[in-house]
Each structure stands twice: as C-alpha cells, then as structure tokens.
Amino acid sequence: MTANPSPLAKQDQSIQAWSWLADPATCISTNPSGPLAGLSFGVKDVLDVQSMPTRYGAHFPDALPAERDAACVALLRRAGAIVVGKTVTAEFAYAAPGPTRNPLNLDHTPGGSSSGSAAAVAAGMVDFALGTQTGGSMMRPAAFTGILGFKPSFGAVHRSGLFLLCDSLDTIGYFSRDLSVLRRVATVLQGLPEVRVPSAPRIGVLDGKDLGPITPAALAALEQGCQHLEEQGAQLERLPADPQLKELLILQGQIMGYEMARSLLPVWQASPDALRPVTVHAIKQGLDMPAADYHAWQARRRQLEQEWQDRYGHFDALLTPAAPGPAPYGLDSTGSSVLNRPWSLLGWPTLSLPAPGQNSPLPLGLQLIGQPHQDNALLDLASLLSPAAQA
C-alpha cells in the first residue's frame, strides 16, 4: 500500500476489498485508444500483476513483486485498461475467508473466494475485476453483492500467471456492474465470435431444491425471473429434479480435493506456518485419496459431460438460483456453493445477475448457464433477464 492513503484506500477502510493498491500516479493506461481505454480493474490475488506481490490470501508478508503479468492481465492492459491493485481472496482460493465485508451490509459476507473482486466492483471502486472459480467462487459473490459475475467456459481464458489450485476446474472470469463492460472484456480475453441468439430462446428451469435447502425468497426470485423472461418472449420449460446433479456435486468435491492437495503440498512443505488450519486439513485429506479413485472420477466426469450435452444441449440456456439465499450474516462462512459446483465440473459458462423486481435489503441472484463455448450467446441472453444487466 502507498504511504499516504489514496481516496480508494480510504474508501476501502471499512470494506477491505484490497490486499494491495498501486500508487495512483502509476495507474496510467498503456493504450489510451484501446478498446478498454478508461476502464479500471482489480485482480484477484492468485493472479500475477507485474510489480505487485502475489500473496494468495495466505501469510506471506515478505512476498516479492511479480516479475510479469498473468496472461489475462497483460491482454487487458494491452487493450488500455488500468489495473489499480490486487483484491482479497480466500486463502489460495479455497475456504479460509479473507477480511472483506459486503459493501451492501458490512455485517454480512461478500461470498468467496473472489470476495475482494466482487466487493470492489459493487462498491464502485473499479469498472470490473478479475476473479476465479473452482466451485462457486464467482457466482456466489456476484449474487451476494448485487452485481454481474461471468465464469466463461472452462479453458476459454488463458491461465498463465494463475496459481492453479485445481487444473481440471480453475477458470478465470470477471465481475462488473455493467453488461456492456463484461462483453468488452470478453472480446479482449476470449475473442468471442458473433452469435445470433433466437428471438424466442429456449430456457430450461431447475429450481435446485434437490441440491439442498433453498430459501423461499430465492425461489420467489426465480419465479420473478421466469415471469420476466416469458414477458421477453423466451420459451421456458420447467425441468424435473435430475438425480445426476448430486452426483456432479460429489464428483466436483472429490476431484477438487485430490487436485488441490497436490497443488498445495509444496506450499505446505516450504511454508507450513503460512496456511490456516482449514487449508492444512484439506491438504491432508486430499493426499489420502487414491490415484485410482481419481482416475475413475475423471472417467465418470467425461461420461456425464456427454450425457448432459445430449439431454440439455437443445436449450439455449438453463436457469437456476445463483445461491440458496442472500448473503449470510457474519464473515466466518462465505455461503453455500452447491448451486454452482455442478456447472464448474461440466465446464459450462455461467452468469450470475441480480434477480428482477427485488425489494429485499440484500440482493438475490439468478444463474444463467450456457452451452459450452457459447459464451457470447449467454452474454446476449443476459440482456433479456434483468434491467440491471442492460445498464
């Protein structure tokens, strides 16, 4: 942090969205005529930014500045966007939360693990911010803070410069308050082709109740979203509970546990005091998982990917709640990700956006799930769902 707090640093004193802020004098666009010129952004602290330390939300007080940008950061800077700092993450993008508070109500969590990125955007500190998702690390914070969160198809954004927690799952995405900004960022990072969205898109609706308890308010928000979509000309089909959703949920947890343990083992060996007990416990559990089981899980995952494409590929999108309810009270828990993890396992693009017609003090989010590698079509569909998405 700079010695004399900037206006941004002062604004952040109560929210604590930032783990590192650049000197404002150095925040200058390298391409004032680029497609993202004039836009500022934050970077989740598991991605490298040149001249800023990467601490991963862990105890690394002496971390040296990164020598180069992550690939996504480099592309955004090349397009004229200005990076202003690193945002708080749960420790190594897993479970141990950071200090960030929800800017809409400081007594509530902003979600995790991309907590700082979502809070910085929701508080109007930056135009957009980079996050990552392994399970529900973007959809939940976006829902809890009332903004847009986009997780692209798996592999759509280059991951060089990201600390890989789970090689099979980790996906780089982005938050904004403005759908047009998300589209501009997607064009830079993904080079999305133009896609013609049907005038009456087919959308399958899953209420998610078979994955766990959903609050009445979240179910009511889903109904409001369905009504709004039908008014916009969408064709909705209410889908029965799919028993394989729970299997997808379990598989995601098993694969994540196995991969993260091996990813974090070198960190634990080199710096055992840097990690919190919940992270160390997860490493120990994951190391006990047999390799044969992991290969079987991956084989089953590939089967399910094909089965789900066969069953649901005729829809333009699926719709579910983005979270089981509003942001929980307190900062010890970042909320449940059960409604997000199946799609992270399948690698399908997802978009969290505020439900229309809300009157609650804390927002409720809806989750649109697109077809794999049809990211641009999903962003187009978002404009039908919520006036907030058309800002």
Side-chain angles (χ1 to χ4, degrees), residues 61-232:
D62 300 321
L64 297 175
E67 294 183 358
R68 61 186 66 86
D69 287 335
C72 54
V73 175
L75 285 169
L76 293 169
R77 290 218 233 208
R78 183 171 180 264
I82 301 168
V83 57
V84 300
K86 305 296 288 293
T87 56
V88 169
T89 175
E91 187 173 78
F92 280 96
Y94 180 55
T100 308
R101 297 172 178 269
N102 192 321
L104 304 183
N105 187 322
L106 298 178
D107 293 328
H108 290 252
T109 179
S113 63
S114 303
S115 53
S117 291
V121 169
M125 297 180 185
V126 283
D127 296 299
F128 69 95
L130 295 175
T132 66
Q133 180 161 306
T134 308
S137 299
M138 292 198 62
M139 297 300 97
R140 199 164 71 260
F144 289 169
T145 59
I147 61 172
L148 302 166
F150 181 56
K151 181 199 76 68
S153 298
F154 177 77
V157 178
H158 201 292
R159 299 186 302 180
S160 173
L162 166 69
F163 180 90
L164 278 179
L165 184 73
C166 298
D167 187 50
S168 297
L169 302 168
D170 287 358
T171 303
I172 298 170
Y174 22 98
F175 300 97
S176 183
R177 301 177 303 280
D178 186 334
L179 180 60
S180 67
V181 170
L182 284 187
R183 293 174 63 88
R184 290 163 66 186
V185 172
T187 299
V188 169
L189 292 183
Q190 301 177 235
L192 295 176
E194 289 296 325
V195 177
R196 178 173 293 180
V197 177
S199 57
R202 296 189 64 185
I203 298 176
V205 181
L206 288 162
D207 62 26
K209 288 189 290 188
D210 49 327
L211 289 173
I214 310 294
T215 65
L219 293 174
L222 179 64
E223 290 306 312
Q224 288 175 320
C226 290
Q227 180 180 345
H228 189 84
L229 280 168
E230 287 178 326
E231 291 170 353
Q232 300 297 314

Side-chain angles (χ1 to χ4, degrees), residues 217-291:
L219 293 174
L222 179 64
E223 290 306 312
Q224 288 175 320
C226 290
Q227 180 180 345
H228 189 84
L229 280 168
E230 287 178 326
E231 291 170 353
Q232 300 297 314
Q235 302 178 54
L236 269 57
E237 182 177 336
R238 308 291 179 133
L239 301 174
D242 192 316
Q244 285 187 342
L245 270 173
K246 280 198 172 180
E247 185 181 3
L248 291 168
L249 188 66
I250 292 168
L251 275 176
Q252 189 276 339
Q254 291 168 322
I255 291 171
M256 180 177 178
Y258 183 93
E259 292 187 351
M260 72 163 288
R262 283 145 185 83
S263 176
L264 289 178
L265 176 60
V267 179
W268 183 35
Q269 289 176 332
S271 307
D273 295 334
L275 301 179
R276 289 155 71 178
V278 65
T279 308
V280 173
H281 178 68
I283 294 170
K284 291 177 179 178
Q285 279 192 319
L287 291 174
D288 288 337
M289 293 176 170

Side-chain angles (χ1 to χ4, degrees), residues 4-16:
N4 296 316
S6 65
L8 200 57
K10 291 178 180 178
Q11 183 185 0
D12 191 48
Q13 287 175 357
S14 60
I15 299 171
Q16 299 185 61

